[in-house]
Amino acid sequence: MEMVIQVASAFVGSLGFELLFRVKRDKLFLGALGGALSWIFYLGAAEFVRQEAVCYFISTLLITLYAEILARLKKSPATIFLVPSTIPLIPGGSLYHAMEYTVQGQWEQAASTGKSTLLLAAGIALGMMVGTFIMRSCLVAAKK
């Protein structure tokens, strides 16, 4: 039941983000679905992988492929689907705690939490880069 609540929250969070930035109605569901899928991919990866940054990488890689495919099908930029789909993965809580520890002068905890946050962000960025590279490589190969 907890996983269902998490996935539903990811869907609603992504939908809210899309509404805030006035995404067109015909693309709202697909972006919100991407948010739910990104969290499903993360939970699935977490079952097999111990490092959280690797789970973020896997989830972002898969969601980037999802966004790139939808971009071709809907004749829209991939960012319309990619940005809302990655919203559930943003390590906001981790960043908040790193800053909280910094303000409180707890330097060791701040450094540890900050390092963890940077690794999560790097996993997200790398997942987007690799996913885009894979998709573009497939498109170039298909044209030949």
Side-chain angles (χ1 to χ4, degrees), residues 9-36:
S9 297
F11 181 90
V12 171
S14 295
L15 180 63
F17 188 82
E18 289 178 302
L19 291 172
L20 181 67
F21 287 96
R22 298 181 183 171
V23 173
K24 292 184 180 179
R25 287 185 183 189
D26 64 323
K27 295 173 182 71
L28 279 176
F29 177 76
L30 296 171
L33 177 63

Side-chain angles (χ1 to χ4, degrees), residues 72-130:
R72 270 82 184 156
L73 293 174
K74 293 292 186 177
K75 296 181 181 8
S76 300
T79 53
I80 290 176
F81 305 109
L82 183 59
V83 172
S85 297
T86 56
I87 291 299
L89 299 175
I90 303 300
S94 177
L95 181 59
Y96 171 81
H97 290 298
M99 296 307 296
E100 179 183 34
Y101 295 139
T102 301
V103 170
Q104 293 174 351
Q106 298 175 4
W107 304 113
E108 288 182 27
Q109 287 181 313
S112 174
T113 309
K115 176 185 160 193
S116 173
T117 303
L118 287 174
L119 285 173
L120 298 179
I124 292 170
L126 192 59
M128 286 181 186
M129 288 182 352
V130 171

